[in-house]
Amino acid sequence: MTPPTPLLGSRTLDRATARTLPPGPRLPTLAQTVLFASHRSTYFPRLRAQYGDVFTIRLVPSSRVVVVLSRPDHIREVFGTPPTIAHAGESNTALEPIMGSHSLLLLDDDDHLRMRRQLMPAFNGHALRGYAEMIARLAREEVDQWPIGTPFRLHERMRDLTLEVILQVVFGVTDSERLDRLRPLVDKVVSVRPVIMLGGFYPTLLKLPPWRTYLRVQQQVDEILYDEIARRRTDPKLAERNDVLSKLLAAGTWSDVELRDQLVTLLLAGHETTATSLAWAFHELARNPDLLRAGQQAADAGDDDYLEAIAKESLRLHPVVYQVGRRLTEPTEIAGYRLPRGTTLMAAIGLVQADEQNYPDVKAFQPERFLGEDAPPPGTWIPFGGGTRRCIGAGFSLLEATEILRAALTRYDVRAAAKPEPAKPRNVTLVPAKGCTLTANPRA
């Protein structure tokens, strides 16, 4: 394991260095942390308007120094910095009690390269094509159950559906009794609250409720996962199976703990994010009849490019994850500032994708932005991060969104109130405040 880099914060930042950092608010660390956790989609734009494209905030633990960047060229500098110098794993340490120390999101340097190399065969183009029919079947089964003519909260239905995709397509669990046991347990795991993540910074909390209660549920899920891994290792038909876990076992050399940590990472990273981006996509289509018709025509014609463009524009206009981080392992020049070792860099996805300079008519939902030769410039669409740490499940997420959009749009007309729903923070994501309430009726 790579030795951790000390955070730049109250214990390691001297006054002379503090004066060289980008400007930022002088509020107490706790106040800044609360504003970041609860209001980042409005707090960050205010800070940029006041302090410019690069600003500094302080967050728990230890009043750590976080430099926020919002210009594409500056963010390209971050993503282009050698991964040995800009550690992504160290910026995600709060996730360790949940995802495990072998999680791809928590590893850096050679450990990360080795794990990513072993994961790649399960997410290449050939593998993704093999998952499409399973995802499509689950999507059809879900939309067949939508209530007709009665308003319902789509975000909840999307969360149930993407959870089912993970259980069956990623974990490869198809036994009905085991699925019935897993669903409520996994739902509690994925509903992790921000306070639980504090256990990553303050390990002594893990011995107290609610942390202890959460870890107990997680242990029950782990028992099932370890049993599933053991069964799969001895399955004589492993090579014929078409789920992510089986492909990982067939393509790499794994310990049970490493596999468990990757499965939980895929669960937590791929469940809420995909469900939320789909809810936002339907939220936009349901309020715009012309866009809805265009989406339906694409679904009828098998125009996957347009359906994927809907998903991409949803991620652009409604970034589910507002920022990604790195920690500097040595002094580095970024955005014209010489930043000390231990500085946390934060690429503000939400600020980049809401900038009129990057997207004309920036508040309009326009899937066509992602079609043709005039695609968004590099570094302006970054919902999956960038560089060597770009989300390994990006292709899977877009495939899943395409199949779910197709299943719903070939069957339904959807309508919603004309007034858009605001976003609210839910854990590390931004979700529709009213759950994307809409009404579905069979297409004429």
Side-chain angles (χ1 to χ4, degrees):
M1 282 292 188
T2 305
T5 305
L7 282 171
L8 184 68
S10 57
R11 299 189 186 122
T12 54
L13 178 64
D14 60 79
R15 291 184 179 181
T17 303
R19 288 193 290 269
T20 68
L21 293 171
R26 296 181 178 272
L27 292 172
T29 295
L30 184 58
Q32 293 190 51
T33 301
V34 170
L35 286 168
F36 167 70
S38 304
H39 304 284
R40 52 192 172 274
S41 62
T42 53
Y43 182 48
F44 272 20
R46 290 203 305 271
L47 292 179
R48 183 174 61 176
Q50 184 173 357
Y51 298 107
D53 295 323
V54 186
F55 53 87
T56 302
I57 59 174
R58 307 295 181 94
L59 301 176
V60 297
S62 302
S63 194
R64 61 184 166 125
V65 172
V66 179
V67 173
V68 181
L69 304 113
S70 62
R71 273 176 43 181
D73 55 332
H74 293 159
I75 291 174
R76 283 197 296 270
E77 287 182 38
V78 175
F79 291 158
T81 299
T84 55
I85 297 175
H87 274 183
E90 288 194 284
S91 69
N92 294 323
T93 51
L95 301 173
E96 184 170 349
I98 304 165
M99 293 185 175
S101 60
H102 299 282
S103 165
L104 186 68
L105 291 182
L106 275 84
L107 297 177
D108 287 302
D109 300 332
D110 292 342
D111 294 325
H112 174 263
L113 289 174
R114 178 180 66 85
M115 200 65 69
R116 189 177 181 95
R117 195 176 297 118
Q118 292 200 163
L119 282 162
M120 282 300 297
F123 294 97
N124 63 27
H126 176 74
L128 291 177
R129 288 189 291 273
Y131 307 140
E133 181 48 42
M134 286 192 291
I135 296 171
R137 173 179 58 79
L138 292 171
R140 290 192 296 267
E141 291 172 359
E142 162 58 28
V143 302
D144 283 348
Q145 300 176 50
W146 285 7
I148 303 299
T150 303
F152 66 100
R153 291 176 178 263
L154 181 70
H155 188 225
E156 295 175 8
R157 305 300 294 253
M158 289 295 99
R159 293 183 78 249
D160 290 344
L161 175 53
T162 57
L163 179 59
E164 202 66 24
V165 169
I166 287 171
L167 293 179
Q168 296 196 39
V169 182
V170 177
F171 293 0
V173 178
T174 55
D175 177 77
S176 58
E177 291 185 8
R178 180 159 288 208
L179 284 169
D180 288 342
R181 185 182 171 199
L182 262 176
R183 286 187 190 104
L185 292 172
V186 171
D187 186 61
K188 291 178 181 178
V189 170
V190 298
S191 299
V192 57
R193 291 175 291 156
V195 69
I196 298 296
M197 296 181 186
L198 287 175
F201 294 128
Y202 306 105
T204 54
L205 293 175
L206 300 177
K207 300 176 182 179
L208 305 171
W211 296 272
R212 187 175 59 204
T213 303
Y214 180 85
L215 292 178
R216 191 178 300 124
V217 172
Q218 189 182 64
Q219 186 176 21
Q220 295 177 63
V221 172
D222 288 350
E223 289 173 0
I224 299 174
L225 289 181
Y226 282 127
D227 183 64
E228 197 66 34
I229 291 168
R231 292 187 185 194
R232 209 66 57 83
R233 287 190 186 279
T234 59
D235 188 344
K237 297 184 178 179
L238 177 67
E240 300 173 21
R241 294 184 60 101
N242 200 26
D243 56 81
V244 172
L245 173 56
S246 296
K247 289 186 179 297
L248 292 177
L249 278 167
T253 302
W254 304 87
S255 69
D256 286 358
V257 176
E258 287 175 337
L259 271 175
R260 175 267 175 207
D261 289 359
Q262 303 320 315
L263 292 176
V264 173
T265 298
L266 292 170
L267 166 66
L268 291 167
H271 168 253
E272 184 78 48
T273 50
T274 303
T276 302
S277 66
L278 278 162
W280 282 122
F282 282 108
H283 175 65
E284 294 293 339
L285 296 177
R287 296 186 301 107
N288 190 316
D290 292 337
L291 280 175
L292 176 62
R293 278 193 296 273
Q296 290 171 332
Q297 290 169 1
D300 293 343
D303 184 353
D304 289 6
D305 289 343
Y306 192 85
L307 296 178
E308 184 175 290
I310 292 174
K312 287 181 174 179
E313 177 67 346
S314 176
L315 286 164
R316 197 277 308 171
L317 185 59
H318 302 284
V320 180
V321 176
Y322 202 80
Q323 75 291 320
V324 292
R326 303 284 191 271
R327 190 186 302 176
L328 292 178
T329 63
E330 60 183 67
T332 308
E333 184 165 320
I334 298 286
Y337 290 90
R338 185 70 176 173
L339 301 176
R341 177 174 186 253
T343 302
T344 299
L345 304 176
M346 189 173 282
I349 297 169
L351 291 179
V352 173
Q353 296 180 176
D355 193 329
E356 189 80 36
Q357 295 184 31
N358 302 326
Y359 292 96
D361 200 8
V362 71
K363 294 183 179 180
F365 188 81
Q366 297 176 355
E368 292 76 13
R369 299 182 200 271
F370 295 92
L371 299 172
E373 298 179 359
D374 295 328
T380 60
W381 187 79
I382 48 174
F384 297 108
T388 60
R389 301 295 299 229
R390 187 174 188 270
C391 175
I392 199 169
F396 187 97
S397 176
L398 292 172
L399 168 70
E400 187 176 0
T402 298
E403 294 299 338
I404 293 170
L405 285 166
R406 188 195 330 276
L409 295 177
T410 51
R411 175 155 186 176
Y412 294 113
D413 285 319
V414 289
R415 293 288 183 269
K419 186 177 180 180
E421 293 185 20
K424 70 174 183 179
R426 174 174 176 155
N427 306 326
V428 298
T429 59
L430 295 170
V431 304
K434 298 180 181 179
C436 183
T437 300
L438 56 74
T439 303
N441 286 292
R443 287 175 56 182

